[in-house]
Amino acid sequence: AVVSTQSTGGHWLNHGKEHCLVGVKGNPAGFNRGLDCDIIVSEVRDTSHKPDEIYGMIERLSPGSRKLELFGREHNTQNNWLTLGNQLDGVHLEWEDVKTKYFNRYGMALPF
């Protein structure tokens, strides 16, 4: 859980905590179960702006694996993560196999 330490405009319990769901596909090698604590205490940031600590925690949980963030925004994008969201500016893909699948599916060149 992510616990916010600031009031949000007088709503003390609104956004007082958020849940972070981590899903795993298959049986990844090097998955570190029980590595970190399960609470992050952080100041409230912009809408949908997660604490920086969450990305490091997830990376330590499964180092070197691919990561996916759903409903992301520009300020949520991270290196070596696939971030999907309708408020992102364009398409930016790093992994060659994903670029190929995207091109084959949608038939358009990517802007990089």
Side-chain angles (χ1 to χ4, degrees):
V2 177
V3 179
S4 300
T5 60
Q6 276 180 325
S7 154
T8 55
H11 302 279
W12 287 93
L13 296 177
N14 189 21
H15 302 293
K17 65 175 176 51
E18 295 183 29
H19 297 280
C20 174
L21 302 177
V22 177
V24 178
K25 181 178 179 182
N27 189 16
F31 192 77
N32 298 310
R33 299 177 194 280
L35 181 66
D36 278 291
C37 69
D38 53 5
I39 295 178
I40 296 174
V41 177
S42 177
E43 297 292 328
V44 173
R45 298 170 84 173
D46 295 331
T47 301
S48 186
H49 202 146
K50 295 161 186 64
D52 294 333
E53 298 89 350
I54 197 72
Y55 297 103
M57 181 185 283
I58 295 171
E59 187 60 42
R60 288 188 301 278
L61 183 66
S62 185
S65 66
R66 291 184 175 180
K67 314 294 187 299
L68 170 68
E69 180 165 2
L70 299 175
F71 313 112
R73 297 181 183 193
E74 285 299 322
H75 59 257
N76 296 116
T77 59
Q78 301 286 316
N79 290 333
N80 300 315
W81 283 63
L82 177 58
T83 304
L84 302 176
N86 65 358
Q87 296 181 20
L88 293 172
D89 182 27
V91 176
H92 308 280
L93 297 174
E94 296 181 26
W95 301 310
E96 289 302 321
D97 62 323
V98 176
K99 287 181 190 180
T100 301
K101 288 177 184 177
Y102 183 91
F103 179 77
N104 290 340
R105 172 75 184 249
Y106 297 106
M108 60 179 80
L110 297 173
F112 44 82

